[in-house]
């Protein structure tokens, strides 16, 4: 886990360097004077918007695949380290081959603890990893000032986000879609909406103030009766009481 997090930290440093270079180029060669006129403090500070003149000066970083990573870490921990059903080298070979000829093993990995089911085995690992992930971004500073704000905002882009991603230890094949934002990967939450919301609320969402998007889908019938609408309201209010930051139906 420490080695994986070190790799993630190196990638974050590379992303930050690219973002900062982009901000510097925009400030020097693509100023937006009209936008600066309409944003608080740019005129008072004598700083154009792209140069950091805005009062609220945040750089939101969009992170895809967080739930897939949680499930993958949970699968590696159980199958490789705890039950020793695979060696690390065998796991790498499976991923390189996109599980070719190993459907049984792929299904076995898919049966490991899954984020979104109120399962401490996955949720606890997810909380620890995402705290590291969010804090690592917040440790850096943007070129134009302010802070980096982690987010997870995919909506429909989670499908294309998975296209360049190889097979993952959770049993996901190469090129398949990633999870929709901060919610569990499609089809993996099997214990109902309350369990799913409890899992998401275990993540340190207050560190992802760029917005940790959570989309929920229900049948239309649930909204047609007062009792059904009251249940939905209870779910939403309960989620926020647990520390939820954003949800949409």
């Amino acid at each position: 886990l420490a080695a994986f997090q070190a790799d993630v930290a190196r990638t974050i440093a590379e992303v930050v360097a690219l973002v900062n270079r982009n901000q510097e180029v925009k400030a020097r060669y693509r100023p937006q004077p009209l936008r600066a006129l309409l944003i608080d403090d740019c005129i008072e500070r004598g700083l154009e918007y792209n140069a950091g003149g805005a009062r609220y000066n945040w750089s939101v970083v969009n992170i895809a695949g967080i739930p897939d990573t949680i499930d993958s870490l949970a699968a590696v921990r159980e199958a490789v380290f705890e039950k020793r059903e695979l060696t690390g080298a065998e796991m790498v070979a499976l991923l390189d081959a996109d599980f070719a000829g190993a459907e049984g093993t792929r299904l076995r990995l898919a049966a490991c603890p899954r984020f979104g089911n109120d399962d401490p085995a996955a949720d606890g690992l997810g909380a620890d990893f995402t705290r590291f992930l969010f804090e690592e971004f917040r440790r850096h500073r943007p070129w134009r000032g302010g802070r980096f704000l982690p987010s997870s905002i995919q909506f429909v882009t989670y499908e294309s986000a998975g296209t360049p991603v190889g097979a993952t230890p959770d049993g996901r094949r190469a090129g398949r879609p990633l999870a929709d934002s901060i919610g569990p990967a499609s089809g993996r939450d099997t214990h109902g909406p309350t369990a799913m919301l409890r899992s998401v609320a275990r993540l340190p969402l207050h560190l992802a103030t760029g917005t940790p998007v959570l989309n929920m889908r229900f049948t239309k019938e649930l909204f047609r009766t007062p009792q059904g609408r009251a249940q939905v309201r209870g779910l939403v209010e309960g989620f926020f009481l647990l520390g939820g930051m954003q949800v949409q139906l």
Side-chain angles (χ1 to χ4, degrees):
L1 182 60
F4 173 67
Q5 291 185 167
D7 188 41
V8 171
R10 285 190 294 270
T11 301
I12 289 173
E14 294 171 1
V15 170
V16 165
L18 288 170
V19 170
N20 285 346
R21 179 57 178 156
N22 179 264
Q23 289 185 356
E24 183 180 6
V25 168
K26 281 184 176 179
R28 292 186 176 181
Y29 302 112
R30 292 182 56 193
Q32 295 176 289
L34 182 60
R35 192 173 191 179
L37 287 172
L38 302 172
I39 293 178
D40 287 344
D41 294 0
C42 290
I43 295 174
E44 290 83 352
R45 293 175 178 172
L47 279 176
E48 185 266 334
Y49 165 78
N50 284 324
R55 179 182 303 179
Y56 304 109
N57 184 16
W58 313 118
S59 297
V60 175
V61 179
N62 193 7
I63 309 167
I66 291 174
D68 307 271
T69 303
I70 296 171
D71 288 349
S72 293
L73 290 172
V76 169
R77 181 175 62 184
E78 178 171 292
V80 176
F81 290 96
E82 293 178 346
K83 297 188 177 180
R84 300 185 181 277
E85 297 169 350
L86 294 167
T87 66
E90 288 169 340
M91 176 69 83
V92 171
L94 280 172
L95 302 182
D96 287 344
D98 194 19
F99 299 105
E103 181 64 9
T105 304
R106 189 185 74 83
L107 294 176
R108 162 66 190 98
L109 292 171
C112 289
R114 299 294 208 186
F115 174 71
N117 295 293
D118 197 15
D119 183 346
D123 298 351
L125 187 59
D128 290 343
F129 168 68
T130 51
R131 180 173 297 277
F132 160 80
L133 177 68
F134 298 153
E135 288 182 342
E136 189 65 20
F137 268 112
R138 292 164 67 97
R139 191 173 63 81
H140 295 274
R141 288 292 180 270
W143 176 88
R144 69 174 187 225
R147 295 286 295 273
F148 282 109
L149 298 187
S151 74
S152 186
I153 309 172
Q154 274 76 67
F155 297 117
V156 297
T157 59
Y158 58 88
E159 180 179 8
S160 58
T163 300
V165 179
T168 45
D170 56 346
R172 176 192 150 277
R173 292 189 181 278
R176 298 297 297 162
L178 299 178
D180 178 0
S181 306
I182 207 72
S186 179
R188 293 184 183 176
D189 53 318
T190 58
H191 288 60
T194 301
M196 188 274 284
L197 291 171
R198 286 173 59 86
S199 289
V200 175
R202 284 198 178 98
L203 305 181
L205 301 175
H206 64 286
L207 298 176
T209 44
T211 306
V213 166
L214 177 63
N215 293 314
M216 299 182 70
R217 296 168 179 83
F218 295 101
T219 60
K220 294 179 181 180
E221 286 72 23
L222 188 63
F223 299 93
R224 289 176 175 159
T225 65
Q227 295 84 357
R229 292 192 292 273
Q231 288 177 323
V232 174
R233 176 173 178 166
L235 283 172
V236 173
E237 291 181 346
F239 178 58
F240 288 131
L241 288 172
L242 289 172
M245 292 279 288
Q246 192 269 12
V247 64
Q248 52 197 29
L249 310 180

